[in-house]
Amino acid sequence: MKIPHDRFIKTSDFNKAAYSYALFCWSLFFGYCIIYQINRIVLYQTRRRRIQKAGKKEDNDITNNMSSSVNNNSNSKNHNTKYTILFDNNNDSNKLTLKKLYNSYVQIPWITNLIPVKHVLGITLFSITNIIFCFFAPFVLASYVTYYEVPQIALMDRRMAYIGMVNWSFVVVLGLRNNIVTKMSGMTFEALIPYHRWIARIGLVEYIPHIIYRLWWAYNKHHIWYESMTLTSEYFTGTIATLGFLFIFVTAFEYIRRNHFEVFYYTHIIGYIIAMVGSLTHEISCIYYFTPAIILWVADRIYRSYQSWCVPSSLESIEPVSNNIMRIRFKYDRLKLLAPGQYVFMAFSHNRNNLIHSHQSEEEGINNYQNRKKDHYKENRWWFLNWYPMTVAQINRKIKWDKNTLLPRISNSSVETSATIYIKALGDFTKSLYDASASGQINQFKVDGPYGPKLDTYQDHHVMACFATGVGVTPALALIQDCINRRSVGTSTVLTSTIYLFFIIRYADELQPFQEILESWLLHASSSSEIQQQDLPLHFDLTVFVTRDTYVPEEQQRRMSGTKWSCGSRPDITRCMDSIEKAEEGKKVWVHTCGSDEFMRSVLNEAARREWEAHHETFEF
């Protein structure tokens, strides 16, 4: 039986496809969250057993054997098999398994340079699910329909628009820095941003048939082009919503996002407000799906404002440390919540117009930046709207020097006093900030955070390997420092006893900003086992690749004794990981990398081939 077209239009409830799709997606998400929380409980119990085991060893006065049991772990099968959730002794790294392919990374031309295969599969399944719901939801035939037939365009365009609306409500939630989704799922803001972009594109594709068909239908009324957008109040508000969404999409291309971030950021906010006003007045059903997302968006803005304006922060120093790298030291009351590898958003008020007229020395400028006149603020009055992500490289704690070992000792009661960040002058903003730091023209600054994953899972592996290029070494510095600090106070939950750092720079002098901290780690690791008896032992292996210099100054080599140098060539990632695999004899390795997309892709794929857990850092905001 064929139902007339008009009957479909008047009696069909387009919400059925939308809310059934929304319930399906949220059910899957909550299922994932339950699995994630169970895994956290299992991991907690595993680490708790590890602490209890360490405590029993101390009670039996066999602390000295702990060092040998860690260093000779490859000879003890029981130690690895006890924590079967965390470690797998299958070393067949040459066999391409589905798991290795699943965790590998690929490049999609004109779309992205770095995406895991598992995300490609996930987005593909998500797209198929959308198609199924567009055609078949709610999967029940009406009482007057005897068989299924493909919906006509007058019905199909609205079904797709409603499902697209649900997707865009997801997009809003996935673009927030602070929301319940991150807390429940363990996925962090920067990890959700790729899904934010992909689902937004899918939603746009679902909206296009609705936009085109309705414009065509209205135009055919009187054949007046502008009337197709203003035929009724519903058409007019729909046009406003469409313009708001297109405003967001047009300015979200990678070139604009990377080279003109402020344009991208402002248009996102303005376009979102225009789109929401248009949508909520265009169709009453939009309230069902967009209102919860709007509430979360407003709550996120309020919380971010609280963190940045109400939580005390102060700038200790900002100074150039090389010809294009600056170092920032600051205090922030929420540093106690910061985990290694995390980042903060920072906003700076600095003078851009008068830099060429400044004749102050660099030293005078940095010491006197707080004494600048208030009228300088007028030169950059909208500075508080420009927020940039910065990875924290180091937490500066008050330390005491051990009188017996002559080594720095970090106590468990240490309080974070300040943090250090390194920034490379690349874009317009960072270049102007670098110039301002040299002349002391930094007026104000604010901090929002911390954000990002808590990369403490390294502690469940015996080996940590970091691969970094240039200033991308900053997250690796934070991770290594955390491991050394926790090992130095005997934290028994940290299994990591060996650290590899492969640091790639163009010229030898680019090492200078990080040389002091690297020297301290080399000194700590080179101490004899007798000196480190009260510590958990630690081996630190540093390899520096200088790609454009043919030699390294002797003084630099002397100061960094124990460092392996390679000049005039780039690292062979496969050979580097092969050397780790051979030295560690089957131990599972935790890998971290930060650098160009091509570099990180090679590191991540080599780690996946060996079934090592790997993490990478990149800001794709």
Side-chain angles (χ1 to χ4, degrees), residues 63-110:
T63 306
N64 292 335
N65 291 333
M66 292 175 63
S67 175
S68 60
S69 67
V70 173
N71 291 330
N72 299 316
N73 183 61
S74 59
N75 296 325
S76 174
K77 295 183 179 179
N78 293 332
H79 188 78
N80 277 341
T81 56
K82 184 172 182 177
Y83 308 107
T84 54
I85 295 175
L86 301 175
F87 303 104
D88 179 10
N89 288 322
N90 180 18
N91 296 318
D92 186 13
S93 61
N94 294 320
K95 184 178 179 181
L96 184 62
T97 63
L98 290 178
K99 181 179 179 181
K100 297 172 185 176
L101 178 62
Y102 180 75
N103 290 318
S104 62
Y105 285 70
V106 296
Q107 177 184 16
I108 302 178
W110 303 295

Side-chain angles (χ1 to χ4, degrees), residues 532-549:
Q532 293 192 57
Q533 279 184 357
Q534 55 185 308
D535 301 343
L536 293 176
L538 182 69
H539 173 69
F540 177 58
D541 188 292
L542 173 62
T543 304
V544 179
F545 292 86
V546 185
T547 59
R548 298 189 182 181
D549 275 343

Side-chain angles (χ1 to χ4, degrees), residues 591-606:
V591 177
H592 183 275
T593 181
C594 184
S596 66
D597 290 342
E598 182 181 359
F599 173 79
M600 290 192 296
R601 189 168 62 247
S602 63
V603 173
L604 294 169
N605 285 339
E606 284 297 327

Side-chain angles (χ1 to χ4, degrees), residues 165-208:
M165 180 167 53
V166 175
N167 281 329
W168 278 359
S169 69
F170 296 158
V171 168
V172 176
V173 176
L174 295 174
L176 303 179
R177 295 184 195 171
N178 307 279
N179 63 75
I180 192 172
V181 171
T182 58
K183 301 296 183 183
M184 294 173 59
S185 65
M187 293 186 289
T188 54
F189 168 61
E190 77 289 342
L192 292 172
I193 284 297
Y195 299 104
H196 166 88
R197 291 201 298 270
W198 281 105
I199 296 177
R201 293 164 182 166
I202 293 173
L204 178 63
V205 170
E206 291 169 333
Y207 264 103
I208 287 176

Side-chain angles (χ1 to χ4, degrees), residues 33-47:
C33 292
I34 291 172
I35 295 173
Y36 168 74
Q37 296 297 338
I38 292 174
N39 185 64
R40 287 189 64 189
I41 295 173
V42 173
L43 183 60
Y44 168 77
Q45 294 294 338
T46 301
R47 292 176 179 173

Side-chain angles (χ1 to χ4, degrees), residues 79 176 267 321 390 555 609:
H79 188 78
L176 303 179
T267 53
V321 290
M390 311 289 184
E555 175 63 18
R609 191 167 69 86

Side-chain angles (χ1 to χ4, degrees), residues 130-185:
N130 273 253
I131 294 173
I132 292 173
F133 272 87
C134 285
F135 279 92
F136 302 108
F139 307 103
V140 176
L141 292 175
S143 58
Y144 49 78
V145 177
T146 58
Y147 62 93
Y148 172 81
E149 64 179 16
V150 177
Q152 299 183 27
I153 183 63
L155 173 63
M156 192 65 180
D157 77 303
R158 295 199 214 184
R159 291 173 62 87
M160 295 182 68
Y162 268 76
I163 291 178
M165 180 167 53
V166 175
N167 281 329
W168 278 359
S169 69
F170 296 158
V171 168
V172 176
V173 176
L174 295 174
L176 303 179
R177 295 184 195 171
N178 307 279
N179 63 75
I180 192 172
V181 171
T182 58
K183 301 296 183 183
M184 294 173 59
S185 65

